[in-house]
Amino acid sequence: MKKLIIIIILFSNFTLFAQSQDQEKEPFRYSHKFTLGTDLAQPFLLGGFNLNATYTTNRWIFDYSHGIGLEIPDFIKSDEQEDLNSEIEIPWTTGPGVGYRITENLDARIDFKAHRTEVDLLNGQQELEYTQFTAGPGVYYRFYLGKKTSFGLEASARYWFNLGNNLDGLDGDDFNFQDNNGNQQSFDTNISAGVGVNIALIYTFGRNK
């Protein structure tokens, strides 16, 4: 909860500062437009599919994103997770976001996500199902593929903070259990936090109107 409060305070201070620096509020292009997008890196790295929708006012941007069928590859797992032969799937991840437009193409945003997580440990010796909650402040930049097309690309860089999950019996972020040989094992449930960089293919409705 402390992390969430700090994130919200920092983001609020940033937007207040940005607004104070822009008293005249000259209109940006692409205001009051609806955009659909899909992440390009996600299908290659995590499988599955993601769809996000954004709406821009003159200065604010609102988004909602939903992904399905994600699998965490070995190169992303921690050493501890690999040692447990973990298979980690995220059937869905969903949540809203809000941001402030710094220029017509650049905005700072914070996203809030819930990630449904299913884990198989030590070849079925232990199975977990829980929902993890994260907040991801970041920056986004979009550019369009030509002057007349409504298609474009949106690059993003975020840092996901773990806000916790709804799994019982945790020691911090760790779930402790006993394997079939009587050995005590520990699994880090913090899956979806850390740095995230992505590129999305986008389409803005009525871009040139």
Side-chain angles (χ1 to χ4, degrees):
M1 182 60 69
K2 290 183 179 179
K3 290 180 181 178
L4 178 58
I5 294 174
I6 292 172
I7 292 169
I8 293 175
I9 291 174
L10 290 175
F11 186 79
S12 299
N13 288 338
F14 168 79
T15 54
L16 289 173
F17 174 78
Q19 287 176 307
S20 68
Q21 299 301 306
D22 187 23
Q23 297 296 330
E24 296 183 359
K25 292 192 182 304
E26 296 181 1
F28 283 156
R29 289 188 297 173
Y30 322 131
S31 296
H32 307 290
K33 302 296 183 185
F34 180 73
T35 299
L36 284 178
T38 183
D39 292 339
L40 297 178
Q42 184 170 295
F44 296 102
L45 297 178
L46 305 177
F49 179 76
N50 170 274
L51 184 66
N52 56 74
T54 62
Y55 181 79
T56 54
T57 69
N58 187 35
R59 284 298 186 271
W60 293 96
I61 184 166
F62 303 92
D63 73 38
Y64 197 93
S65 176
H66 188 83
I68 58 174
L70 311 182
E71 296 183 5
I72 304 300
D74 289 341
F75 69 88
I76 293 180
K77 298 174 185 175
S78 67
D79 291 340
E80 176 188 88
Q81 292 166 352
E82 285 196 73
D83 290 342
L84 294 174
N85 296 322
S86 62
E87 295 183 6
I88 305 171
E89 297 183 359
I90 300 178
W92 54 262
T93 175
T94 192
V98 62
Y100 187 82
R101 300 175 71 193
I102 302 169
T103 71
E104 60 189 29
N105 290 326
L106 177 68
D107 69 87
R109 205 178 306 177
I110 182 169
D111 294 298
F112 300 92
K113 293 289 187 292
H115 316 265
R116 186 60 180 174
T117 307
E118 298 178 355
V119 183
D120 185 299
L121 302 173
L122 296 175
N123 301 314
Q125 292 187 33
Q126 181 71 52
E127 296 181 352
L128 303 175
E129 292 187 8
Y130 59 94
T131 302
Q132 182 178 347
F133 305 96
T134 61
V139 292
Y140 293 71
Y141 185 84
R142 64 172 61 176
F143 56 93
Y144 289 93
L145 305 176
K147 294 182 178 180
K148 296 183 178 180
T149 178
S150 291
F151 285 99
L153 296 174
E154 182 178 72
S156 62
R158 290 169 287 184
Y159 188 90
W160 292 103
F161 289 92
N162 177 35
L163 302 180
N165 62 61
N166 63 354
L167 185 64
D168 293 330
L170 292 180
D171 180 10
D173 291 328
D174 294 330
F175 178 82
N176 299 316
F177 67 99
Q178 194 173 71
D179 64 22
N180 290 347
N181 296 321
N183 299 316
Q184 196 70 18
Q185 304 286 354
S186 180
F187 173 75
D188 183 4
T189 61
N190 189 7
I191 304 296
S192 302
V195 177
V197 178
N198 216 326
I199 295 179
L201 176 66
I202 62 172
Y203 181 89
T204 299
F205 292 87
R207 173 202 170 196
N208 296 312
K209 294 181 180 180

